[in-house]
């Protein structure tokens, strides 16, 4: 068997292309990674990154929204997109012989039409998504705890935004955000699997030749996480939802892999220490702990859901496990 080969190049317009070529693989995957997310938004534009992710599937000058969905299906692709605090990602996986059409489709999507009619319709979809999130107790717990922990740092910004910010957002504001953040020097194309590297680079260079770089910045204020506790009562809920945040190393730190391992030892859903201390004993219906290594900052997030009469016991056991990881 041949070993995987790691490849990288940067096009003249600043677009970075990376790949892990494995000629033993049976598939090809590619994704566009945009170095932008909720941490890069001003309060007036809260939620624009996620809203824009939706709009990227609404059509281009070459394709309608129906064309995009149909072509993904015709390629037999597994595909999706997501927005986080720091990046927006669009990806697909196909058989290796579909490398060229998948890249053409994904690349075309990176230059959306952003039609006003589509914008107006999709705004209602986003508002419904915000309402659904507010009705979800786990999301509410994390949305309440996160901004308090981040204490004004932009990593505490909501990915969805608010009903007020989305309602006020204009198509022109979204276009301005897109132009500055989706510049080629703020994008990375990542590919993996059985692939033709030379053809991939040639195709992307041809398709993005007219894309112009832009000055794209990210703010790095000092991270001063807040400590403390707060209870929010909601008579409509029958469970206690506990979210706990703690500082961790950044994505650039040499201990980032160790931090990820610690989170897995504690929070793996089926075998972590929290599972055996809480879930397996029937004290909670859900328990997790995750490591979030961010750009020049980081955090651990723990979440549990339990009955009100067990909340104090569960909180104590959760803290015991966090202390025990240091000594045992």
């Amino acid at each position: 068997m041949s070993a995987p080969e790691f490849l990288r190049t940067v096009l003249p317009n600043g677009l970075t292309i990376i790949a892990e070529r494995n000629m033993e693989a049976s598939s090809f995957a590619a994704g566009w990674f945009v170095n932008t997310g909720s941490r890069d938004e001003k309060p007036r534009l809260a939620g624009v990154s996620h809203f824009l992710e939706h709009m990227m599937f609404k059509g281009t000058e070459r394709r309608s929204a129906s064309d995009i969905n149909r072509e993904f299906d015709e390629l037999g692709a597994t595909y999706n997109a997501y927005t986080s605090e720091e990046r927006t990602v669009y990806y697909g996986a196909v058989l290796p012989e579909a490398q060229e059409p998948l890249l053409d489709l994904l690349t075309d999507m990176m230059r959306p039409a952003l039609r006003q009619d589509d914008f107006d319709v999709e705004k209602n979809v986003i508002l419904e998504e915000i309402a659904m999130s507010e009705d979800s107790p786990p999301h509410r717990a994390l949305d309440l705890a996160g901004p308090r922990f981040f204490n004004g740092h932009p990593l505490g910004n909501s990915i969805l935004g608010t009903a007020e910010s989305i309602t006020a957002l204009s198509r022109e504001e979204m276009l301005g955000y897109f132009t500055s953040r989706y510049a080629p020097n703020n994008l990375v194309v990542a590919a993996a699997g059985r692939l033709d590297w030379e053809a991939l680079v040639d195709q992307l260079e041809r398709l993005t030749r007219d894309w112009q770089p832009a000055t794209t910045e990210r703010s790095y204020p000092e991270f001063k996480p807040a400590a403390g506790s707060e209870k929010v009562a909601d008579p409509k809920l029958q469970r206690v939802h506990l979210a706990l945040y703690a500082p961790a190393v950044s994505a650039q730190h040499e201990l980032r892999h160790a931090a990820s391992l610690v989170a897995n030892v504690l929070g793996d859903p089926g075998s972590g220490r929290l599972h055996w201390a809480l879930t397996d004993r029937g004290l909670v219906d859900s328990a997790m702990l995750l490591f979030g290594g961010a750009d020049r900052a980081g955090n651990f997030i723990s979440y549990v859901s339990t009955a009100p009469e067990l909340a104090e016991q569960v909180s104590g056991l959760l803290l015991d496990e966090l202390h025990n990881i240091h000594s045992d």
Side-chain angles (χ1 to χ4, degrees):
M1 293 181 62
S2 59
E5 183 181 7
F6 297 92
L7 305 159
R8 181 182 186 273
T9 190
V10 180
L11 299 184
N13 60 10
L15 175 65
T16 298
I17 307 171
I18 59 175
E20 177 185 323
R21 178 165 58 186
N22 181 0
M23 300 311 291
E24 304 293 332
S26 300
S27 63
F28 166 80
W32 280 85
F33 289 71
V34 191
N35 188 38
T36 200
S38 58
R39 74 171 293 172
D40 303 300
E41 300 168 355
K42 303 297 183 185
R44 164 73 184 177
L45 299 180
V48 66
S49 300
H50 172 254
F51 191 167
L52 182 55
E53 175 211 319
H54 281 231
M55 292 298 296
M56 305 294 279
F57 287 87
K58 292 302 175 181
T60 69
E61 296 303 323
R62 294 169 49 198
R63 292 175 170 92
S64 67
S66 297
D67 291 334
I68 290 173
N69 291 327
R70 175 179 52 78
E71 289 187 34
F72 273 124
D73 290 342
E74 289 175 346
L75 292 173
T78 299
Y79 67 98
N80 212 329
Y82 68 86
T83 305
S84 70
E85 290 86 356
E86 299 191 310
R87 64 190 59 87
T88 312
V89 180
Y90 309 85
Y91 62 91
V94 293
L95 292 174
E97 53 265 32
Q99 170 181 315
E100 188 275 334
L102 177 67
L103 281 173
D104 183 79
L105 176 55
L106 288 171
T107 305
D108 189 36
M109 287 174 58
M110 293 303 101
R111 288 299 178 262
L114 298 182
R115 301 178 181 92
Q116 184 68 54
D117 289 347
D118 294 328
F119 178 87
D120 294 339
V121 171
E122 201 62 25
K123 177 178 286 193
N124 292 324
V125 174
I126 301 297
L127 291 172
E128 285 297 316
E129 194 168 344
I130 292 172
M132 288 175 58
S133 178
E134 292 175 346
D135 281 344
S136 167
H139 287 131
R140 285 186 60 193
L142 295 170
D143 287 345
L144 287 169
R148 287 162 170 76
F149 168 75
F150 285 108
N151 196 25
H153 191 280
L155 279 171
N157 292 349
S158 167
I159 294 172
L160 294 179
T162 66
E164 292 74 19
S165 67
I166 294 300
T167 300
L169 185 68
S170 70
R171 184 258 179 194
E172 288 69 29
E173 287 174 318
M174 175 179 283
L175 177 60
Y177 183 83
F178 167 82
T179 301
S180 65
R181 305 301 303 186
Y182 279 64
N185 53 308
N186 202 44
L187 302 172
V188 173
V189 177
R194 180 149 55 93
L195 59 90
D196 185 331
W197 170 251
E198 290 74 19
L200 183 149
V201 173
D202 289 345
Q203 182 183 6
L204 288 171
E205 186 169 21
R206 172 173 48 83
L207 293 175
T208 67
R209 184 171 293 123
D210 296 331
W211 296 12
Q212 297 300 312
T215 301
T216 305
E217 298 179 349
R218 169 167 285 172
S219 173
Y220 295 99
E222 185 178 1
F223 180 35
K224 296 181 178 180
S229 63
E230 184 173 350
K231 296 180 180 180
V232 178
D234 187 336
K236 299 189 296 294
L237 300 183
Q238 303 299 314
R239 308 288 288 174
V240 171
H241 301 269
L242 173 64
L244 188 150
Y245 280 71
V249 297
S250 72
Q252 292 92 345
H253 199 283
E254 62 181 6
L255 292 178
R256 63 191 181 279
H257 300 302
S260 181
L261 179 59
V262 168
N264 194 56
V265 168
L266 279 165
D268 183 82
S271 62
R273 292 190 181 189
L274 296 185
H275 170 82
W276 297 113
L278 300 173
T279 311
D280 186 66
R281 295 170 59 186
L283 298 174
V284 303
D285 58 70
S286 179
M288 72 169 194
L289 190 140
L290 302 172
F291 164 61
D295 189 3
R296 305 191 196 181
N299 63 92
F300 290 110
I301 305 173
S302 184
Y303 164 81
V304 297
S305 171
T306 187
E309 62 271 18
L310 297 175
E312 185 174 350
Q313 179 185 3
V314 166
S315 297
L317 290 172
L318 172 61
L319 292 175
D320 286 345
E321 290 302 321
L322 298 183
H323 290 305
N324 289 343
I325 199 73
H326 293 282
S327 59
D328 186 21

